Amino acid sequence: MAKQANAVVAINGDFYAFRDLGITVYQRTLYRNSPAKVDSCFFTSTGDMLFTRAGELTGEGETQKFIEDNDVVFAIAFGPVLVDNGELQYCERYPIGEIDTEYSRSCIGMSDELHYFLMTINHTTDARPRATINELARFVYSKGVQKAYNLDGGGSATMVLGDQRVNKTSGSRERDVSDIVYFTK
C-alpha cells in the first residue's frame, strides 16, 4: 500500500475491514458510524488531528455534523487516545488491543500544527514484545507530543520508510492491514 500511495513514510492504520467498531470516514464520506465502544481519530483538511471518545457521538446525524463542521477528510478507529491537549491519558479498560499485555505497538502523534510523529515499539533483541498501552502512552508523551492515538499493533505494527520496512513485527509474518496513514512528497 505504501508503494502504491508513493509514501515517503507510512504506518499501519486501524483494522476497519475486520472489526465493526468506531467511525470510518474516507474522502469526507461517513462509511461506518459505530462510536459507542472505541475512541476515533479524525484528520481535517487543514491537517489537524481531532478525537472523539467512545460514546461521545451517538447518532449518524451528530457524527455527520461533526465531519462537516470540522471538514474531516479521514478517520481511523482503534485507540485509545494516548495524549490529549498535552496531557497523558491513562487507560484502565478498552475493548480491543489487549491493553495490559506487552505487544508491538504503533501510534501517531502531533507535536504542533502539521508536525506529526509516527512511532512503533517493537521487539527487543530477545524477541520479547515491548509495551502495554500505558507504557506506549508514557513513551510517546515523553517525546513532547500534544496529541497521540494508538493504532493497530501486534503483527500490524509496521512502519515503512521509502520502500523499506524499518521494524520487526510480532509473530512469524507481517499481518495484512486494511489501511495506512502515510505522508508523501
Side-chain angles (χ1 to χ4, degrees), residues 48-67:
D48 200 4
M49 192 165 110
L50 307 174
F51 305 127
T52 58
R53 303 304 177 112
E56 185 177 333
L57 298 174
T58 53
E60 190 169 321
E62 185 178 13
T63 302
Q64 191 62 48
K65 182 172 179 3
F66 179 87
I67 292 165

Side-chain angles (χ1 to χ4, degrees), residues 42-124:
F42 303 89
F43 298 90
T44 70
S45 64
T46 60
D48 200 4
M49 192 165 110
L50 307 174
F51 305 127
T52 58
R53 303 304 177 112
E56 185 177 333
L57 298 174
T58 53
E60 190 169 321
E62 185 178 13
T63 302
Q64 191 62 48
K65 182 172 179 3
F66 179 87
I67 292 165
E68 292 168 6
D69 288 353
N70 293 288
D71 198 13
V72 170
V73 177
F74 179 68
I76 47 181
F78 201 88
V81 173
L82 304 170
V83 178
D84 195 8
N85 293 317
E87 294 183 19
L88 180 64
Q89 304 295 298
Y90 177 78
C91 184
E92 189 173 313
R93 288 188 304 276
Y94 206 69
I96 56 175
E98 296 90 7
I99 65 168
D100 293 323
T101 304
E102 290 185 332
Y103 278 113
S104 294
R105 306 278 179 182
S106 59
C107 67
I108 184 168
M110 186 177 221
S111 59
D112 200 359
E113 185 177 328
L114 298 178
H115 289 87
Y116 288 95
F117 183 94
L118 301 176
M119 182 175 77
T120 64
I121 293 181
N122 298 103
H123 288 85
T124 59

